[in-house]
């Protein structure tokens, strides 16, 4: 395990990945998505300021609760001078994300409830399946595959 001296102002991508419990590829992805930034050395190696640790942790925490990278990027873009989020920022953003999460929870509960009706059918009745064909919408157009070959239901 590489040791990071607290006197170092910059970290390598490998050090950031290790400290944040993620992969180098994930950090590269975050950078391509505009969530984090680095500078390049003369040898074209990435170097990150130490505050990147908090920013990556913020991103991963938001992802864990189901927030998309697009929503995370939008939130980070609204911080002054691209600074690292503070606990106050997290409280404000998590409040704004609550409505989105409540909507998803409601949708998942509805799916779960329809799944309870489905258990035991063995998926033998697509006409009545509440997951694959709610309210038999596709059945109105006749029997057979409705979405195959460019047909829509």
């Amino acid at each position: 395990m590489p040791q990071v001296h607290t006197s170092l102002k910059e970290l390598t991508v490998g050090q950031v990945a290790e400290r944040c419990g993620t992969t180098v590829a994930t950090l590269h992805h975050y950078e391509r998505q505009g969530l984090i930034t680095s500078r390049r050395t003369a040898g074209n190696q990435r170097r990150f300021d130490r505050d990147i640790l908090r920013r990556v942790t913020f991103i991963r925490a938001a992802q864990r609760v189901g927030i998309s990278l697009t929503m995370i990027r939008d939130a980070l873009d609204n911080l002054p001078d691209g600074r690292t989020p503070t606990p106050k920022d997290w409280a404000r953003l998590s409040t704004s994300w609550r409505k989105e999460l409540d909507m998803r929870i409601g949708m998942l509960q509805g799916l779960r409830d329809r799944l309870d009706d489905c258990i035991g059918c063995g998926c033998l009745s697509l006409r009545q399946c509440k997951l694959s064909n709610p309210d038999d919408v596709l059945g109105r157009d006749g029997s057979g595959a409705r979405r195959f070959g460019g047909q829509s239901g």
Side-chain angles (χ1 to χ4, degrees):
M1 175 184 314
Q3 296 297 314
V4 178
H5 297 285
T6 57
S7 62
L8 293 177
K9 293 189 184 248
E10 292 184 319
L11 303 170
T12 67
V13 68
Q15 290 168 327
V16 173
E18 183 177 346
R19 295 279 304 274
C20 292
T22 191
T23 65
V24 168
T26 297
L27 296 175
H28 291 174
H29 179 69
Y30 289 168
E31 192 168 16
R32 282 191 306 274
Q33 295 298 313
L35 296 163
I36 62 174
T37 58
S38 66
R39 76 165 187 88
R40 297 296 182 125
T41 66
N44 202 31
Q45 296 176 335
R46 287 174 172 88
R47 292 294 185 264
F48 295 91
D49 290 332
R50 293 183 64 77
D51 66 350
I52 198 71
L53 299 173
R54 180 179 289 158
R55 192 172 178 98
V56 171
T57 302
F58 174 90
I59 294 165
R60 295 193 70 222
Q63 282 186 289
R64 263 193 303 281
V65 297
I67 304 302
S68 70
L69 288 180
T70 300
M71 289 178 74
I72 296 168
R73 183 181 53 243
D74 290 346
L76 291 172
D77 286 348
N78 287 320
L79 295 177
D81 301 322
R83 71 170 162 73
T84 299
T86 64
K88 186 176 180 180
D89 293 326
W90 177 260
R92 181 178 46 80
L93 292 169
S94 65
T95 298
S96 71
W97 292 333
R98 182 176 295 277
K99 183 177 179 181
E100 169 79 14
L101 293 174
D102 287 343
M103 182 189 73
R104 288 188 204 170
I105 289 168
M107 185 179 68
L108 288 171
Q109 287 173 332
L111 285 171
R112 180 204 56 212
D113 294 346
R114 288 193 300 270
L115 180 64
D116 289 346
D117 293 338
C118 185
I119 293 174
C121 79
C123 288
L124 299 176
S125 178
L126 289 178
R127 186 178 309 179
Q128 297 175 359
C129 182
K130 292 184 179 186
L131 293 176
S132 297
N133 189 14
D135 302 320
D136 194 21
V137 173
L138 299 177
R140 295 181 196 140
D141 296 332
S143 62
R146 298 287 107 208
R147 293 186 177 157
F148 183 73
Q151 296 176 346
S152 61

